[in-house]
Amino acid sequence: MAPIGVRLQIEDHHVVIDNGILQVTLSNPEGMVTGIRYNGLDNVLEDRNDETNRGYWDVVWSALDGSGRTGVFEVIKSASFKVIVETEELVEVSFSRPWDPSLKGKFVPLNIDKRFILLRGCSGFYTYAIYEHMGSQEWQAFSLGETRVAFKLTKDKFRYMAVADDRRRYMPLPDDRQPERGQPLAYPEAVLLVNPVEPEFTGEVDDKYQYTCENRNLKVHGWISNDPSIGFWQITPSDEFRTGGPLKQNLCSHVGPTCLAVFVGAHYAGDDLVPKFGQGEPWKKVFGPVFIYLNSVMDGQDPLTLWDDAKRQMTVETSGWPYSFPASEDFPKSNQRGMVYGKLLVRDRFVNSNDMPINGAYVGLAPLGEVGSWQRECKDYQFWTTTDENGFFSINNIRTGNYNLYALVYGFIGDYRNDSSITVTPGCNINVGTLVYEPPRNGPTLWEIGIPDRSAAEFYVPDPNPLFVNKLFIDQPQNKFRQYGLWERYGELYPEGDLIYTIGESDYSKDWFYAQVPRKKEDNSYEGTTWQIKFKLENVKPSATYKLRIALAGASLAELQVRINDRNKARPLFTTGLIGRDNAIPRHGIHGLYWLYNVDVAGSLLLEGDNIFYFTQTRSQSPFQAIMYDYIRLEGPTQEL
């Protein structure tokens, strides 16, 4: 049977869109998703919640004009409803809320137009929004701490969550996190389940941050109901509208059952990823469309196969990007976009005498900026791809505009940025030719610790305290870092002296703790820690300059001081100063933002034979003031090759 046409029904307080497969109900004119009827279930959303707390767009914003309005959480309630397209093939509706100076201090200073689309024969619906800050002086300065779409599913039905092949499980109930059933731990998001509704969860830790994903892997996630057998999935077909590039980490699904599409957020980065808009600064951005997909299986089939089907649907959505059907002129179609292609090689004569193609290097276009600025860019669009085994890349479906081309190459430190800006016009095919990245390098590698991959995952991640486990991550070495409380294990491993790493003897996967955290003392206060790197040198050249490369995978209100051969020297050889607000350690991240420091070491400071670097993390007001290392290398003096 051919699918029936899409039908639109407009009521006094609701708008109903139905295509015979699912029926979506939205509040009129607020534009909240109040109901989704599918496959015999009257509402997959939690209808015990208020209509404003089922499916909604929201923001967190702060005024920057000194008015004191900071950290305001606002669910976007629109003021006007409009039918944009109404045919049997598709319906697109708009719920908009204009801003004017009379609303100053009451609402985020943005014009917001939320759109919803339902297609004929489609088992799901699309949503996107256009945000605009006008270029006149009446428009208030503000910052946008977060914006997202959230769905709260019916808690009695949706109990199985999937965010990745190795992170899917039957989940606790939200009731289990309440005071009578759960014990909050070091921060409110982490709860020890002491008296859960279902005893099988007793003794587990639940924390939404254990399920975060990097943008590059955050394409599909969601929930499965057993009775009836239904899947609810959030599919993000493109990263172009998300901030911070491919490695930025965001929340997705967690106990609620909650399902999110996060577009702007400071998690694992801090204030650097909070866009700030000056008074009268013009800005417009389209977030989405994202796809809300529902699927089901026949009686007797395994409901868990719905995850496999959701992944298949994700590939359908990504291959169909950019969508042809959104009506807004602010969303360019494929023929209004451009393409940039070329080849990236790496030149490091101390590794290979020839320029090297690297498979899987990330190459992207992002707004004009400094080297590496893409990881802190949070106002506009970014477009990323990866190289093939020969170094070739093609970045497709780029919005028009002026960009720099950036790259990051696993196995090599630093960032690439092409010196020339690139102007993308509709229909363009720009060949940038062969680009050569020369990563920082002065001389031969004398020794190194770790792998330059912007992560601390290769280092020693301890077993969790058995009192605070998430059973999902037991026997999952790749996810071990997601367990709660690992920062406390350092003080148990090193109750008095600190970590000592000996080049040529130690193994970084066993002997280098994944994070340099403060040590907890007997009085429950904390103290800074000093790690030692012991190494031998021969034929030291006192008049030459050696180079110490320190790549950090994350930092949170930390300071790294480096000394050489005298740990008590008043003035360090190098200090980072106070850096970082990524808070990745309590949020079970294995990286935050990337930092690279290149430190000159005078040969006169080095000794023939035994030497020691002292790495001191000085800040200790909190257990989470810490750094994670990515990679450390000592290079010999410059040599001509």
Side-chain angles (χ1 to χ4, degrees):
M1 268 174 46
I4 66 170
V6 189
R7 294 169 299 201
L8 174 65
Q9 182 179 338
I10 302 171
E11 303 169 354
D12 286 345
H13 299 294
H14 294 91
V15 174
V16 182
I17 317 172
D18 193 330
N19 68 357
I21 299 171
L22 77 160
Q23 181 186 88
V24 181
T25 302
L26 302 128
S27 61
N28 183 5
E30 297 86 2
M32 308 293 172
V33 185
T34 64
I36 302 170
R37 178 183 292 174
Y38 175 74
N39 200 43
L41 195 57
D42 282 346
N43 197 355
V44 305
L45 303 180
E46 183 55 84
D47 53 16
R48 284 170 287 199
N49 287 4
D50 185 84
E51 285 199 349
T52 61
N53 188 29
R54 299 179 190 174
Y56 54 88
W57 286 75
D58 67 34
V59 296
V60 175
W61 65 280
S62 298
L64 297 180
D65 58 3
S67 64
R69 293 281 282 166
T70 60
V72 181
F73 173 76
E74 180 184 335
V75 173
I76 303 302
K77 298 178 181 178
S78 298
S80 175
F81 164 70
K82 183 179 180 182
V83 178
I84 303 297
V85 179
E86 183 181 5
T87 70
E88 288 205 336
E89 295 306 312
L90 75 89
V91 166
E92 178 170 344
V93 293
S94 160
F95 297 87
S96 60
R97 194 204 64 200
W99 190 88
D100 65 61
S102 70
L103 301 174
K104 183 176 179 180
K106 298 177 182 176
F107 300 115
V108 61
L110 289 168
N111 291 333
I112 296 179
D113 183 357
K114 301 182 294 185
R115 302 289 183 95
F116 297 89
I117 301 172
L118 190 58
L119 306 179
R120 183 204 287 261
C122 183
S123 187
F125 65 96
Y126 299 85
T127 184
Y128 68 107
I130 304 121
Y131 287 22
E132 185 171 22
H133 190 252
M134 302 296 285
S136 66
Q137 289 302 301
E138 297 84 36
W139 282 64
Q140 182 180 17
F142 80 106
S143 64
L144 186 62
E146 182 179 79
T147 191
R148 62 185 190 171
V149 180
F151 293 93
K152 308 288 183 67
L153 308 183
T154 180
K155 68 177 183 180
D156 298 335
K157 298 291 185 181
F158 291 90
R159 299 298 309 278
Y160 188 91
M161 186 184 83
V163 302
D165 282 335
D166 60 357
R167 286 192 291 154
R168 45 192 177 126
R169 63 169 291 177
Y170 190 66
M171 295 292 284
L173 287 162
D175 312 57
D176 297 335
R177 296 179 52 86
Q178 296 304 309
E180 62 273 14
R181 295 190 178 275
Q183 174 189 326
L185 297 173
Y187 44 88
E189 293 88 347
V191 173
L192 178 65
L193 308 180
V194 293
N195 183 30
V197 175
E198 292 144 311
E200 66 192 83
F201 294 112
T202 302
E204 284 205 69
V205 171
D206 178 68
D207 186 339
K208 64 184 179 181
Y209 292 113
Q210 293 178 320
Y211 301 102
T212 52
C213 292
E214 294 174 325
N215 282 344
R216 59 179 174 173
N217 300 321
L218 188 46
K219 303 294 186 188
V220 56
H221 61 93
W223 292 83
I224 294 172
S225 160
N226 257 345
D227 180 23
S229 297
I230 291 174
F232 181 100
W233 309 100
Q234 193 276 306
I235 295 176
T236 303
S238 169
D239 283 338
E240 69 179 48
F241 43 79
R242 296 201 283 211
T243 59
L247 305 185
K248 172 70 173 71
Q249 297 157 93
N250 282 308
L251 290 166
C252 48
S253 285
H254 56 82
V255 164
T258 299
C259 192
L260 304 173
V262 178
F263 306 117
V264 175
H267 289 138
Y268 303 95
D271 193 58
D272 285 348
L273 264 290
V274 175
K276 298 160 187 71
F277 302 92
Q279 183 178 346
E281 178 182 343
W283 176 77
K284 182 188 280 190
K285 188 170 183 179
V286 177
F287 295 107
V290 296
F291 184 45
I292 306 306
Y293 178 57
L294 291 100
N295 57 1
S296 58
V297 295
M298 303 293 287
D299 288 344
Q301 290 183 290
D302 182 0
L304 300 189
T305 60
L306 293 170
W307 167 239
D308 298 316
D309 176 67
K311 290 187 293 180
R312 283 191 292 271
Q313 187 64 37
M314 178 268 290
T315 64
V316 172
E317 300 300 323
T318 54
S319 64
W321 186 268
Y323 298 133
S324 60
F325 48 81
S328 172
E329 293 180 356
D330 293 311
F331 182 75
K333 310 304 183 286
S334 60
N335 63 355
Q336 299 169 296
R337 297 171 176 241
M339 181 175 81
V340 171
Y341 63 99
K343 184 176 185 178
L344 178 70
L345 300 175
V346 175
R347 180 176 298 160
D348 185 338
R349 295 293 181 254
F350 290 95
V351 174
N352 193 314
S353 58
N354 298 314
D355 292 349
M356 299 169 283
I358 304 294
N359 191 16
Y362 279 87
V363 182
L365 293 187
L368 303 177
E370 301 300 316
V371 174
S373 60
W374 56 269
Q375 71 166 345
R376 290 176 169 83
E377 196 285 315
C378 51
K379 284 188 178 179
D380 294 303
Y381 303 93
Q382 299 192 29
F383 304 85
W384 289 86
T385 190
T386 53
T387 54
D388 66 14
E389 65 271 14
N390 297 310
F392 290 107
F393 64 87
S394 177
I395 308 172
N396 303 320
N397 297 310
I398 309 161
R399 284 170 163 264
T400 58
N402 295 319
Y403 300 92
N404 277 131
L405 186 147
Y406 303 88
L408 61 130
V409 185
Y410 289 133
F412 297 88
I413 59 174
D415 272 276
Y416 173 81
R417 187 200 64 168
N418 189 268
D419 291 336
S420 303
S421 64
I422 295 173
T423 300
V424 174
T425 57
C428 71
N429 288 286
I430 299 173
N431 182 358
V432 295
T434 298
L435 308 175
V436 178
Y437 173 45
E438 296 189 50
R441 171 71 79 172
N442 278 53
T445 299
L446 301 179
W447 52 258
E448 59 188 347
I449 301 172
I451 302 168
D453 60 359
R454 298 178 180 242
S455 159
E458 69 269 28
F459 298 124
Y460 177 68
V461 178
D463 291 328
N465 184 325
L467 299 176
F468 303 107
V469 296
N470 182 321
K471 292 177 184 174
L472 176 63
F473 304 130
I474 296 173
D475 300 324
Q476 281 198 18
Q478 75 279 16
N479 282 318
K480 198 176 181 182
F481 67 86
R482 298 183 186 276
Q483 294 280 17
Y484 173 84
L486 301 183
W487 57 88
E488 298 284 10
R489 306 299 272 176
Y490 179 80
E492 296 166 14
L493 287 167
Y494 301 95
E496 295 178 0
D498 279 317
L499 184 152
I500 298 174
Y501 189 91
T502 303
I503 299 297
E505 297 178 12
S506 300
D507 177 345
Y508 61 72
S509 69
K510 299 175 183 176
D511 303 315
W512 189 272
F513 199 76
Y514 81 103
Q516 188 168 359
V517 295
R519 181 193 294 98
K520 192 174 187 177
K521 298 194 292 186
E522 288 184 1
D523 63 1
N524 286 330
S525 66
Y526 292 86
E527 62 183 358
T529 54
T530 297
W531 292 6
Q532 298 180 38
I533 303 173
K534 294 186 173 184
F535 60 101
K536 294 180 183 295
L537 286 182
E538 297 177 352
N539 303 316
V540 174
K541 298 178 180 177
S543 61
T545 300
Y546 294 69
K547 188 74 80 169
L548 179 65
R549 313 279 185 187
I550 305 172
L552 301 182
S556 189
L557 293 172
E559 178 180 3
L560 173 62
Q561 295 182 358
V562 178
R563 291 173 173 83
I564 177 73
N565 290 325
D566 180 359
R567 70 178 300 164
N568 298 314
K569 193 167 186 179
R571 186 171 181 177
L573 170 69
F574 166 78
T575 178
T576 60
L578 183 64
I579 57 167
R581 287 182 172 269
D582 63 44
N583 209 26
I585 289 166
R587 288 178 172 151
H588 319 294
I590 200 65
H591 72 84
L593 295 181
Y594 179 74
W595 309 75
L596 178 64
Y597 297 98
N598 305 293
V599 182
D600 286 338
V601 182
S604 58
L605 297 175
L606 297 169
L607 305 173
E608 194 74 20
D610 294 334
N611 291 266
I612 304 175
F613 273 119
Y614 297 95
F615 281 32
T616 302
Q617 198 296 105
T618 63
R619 309 290 176 133
S620 59
Q621 287 80 24
S622 151
F624 306 129
Q625 290 183 271
I627 53 179
M628 287 185 281
Y629 294 93
D630 169 35
Y631 174 76
I632 304 168
R633 181 172 76 212
L634 181 65
E635 297 173 10
T638 302
Q639 295 180 2
E640 295 297 327
L641 290 181

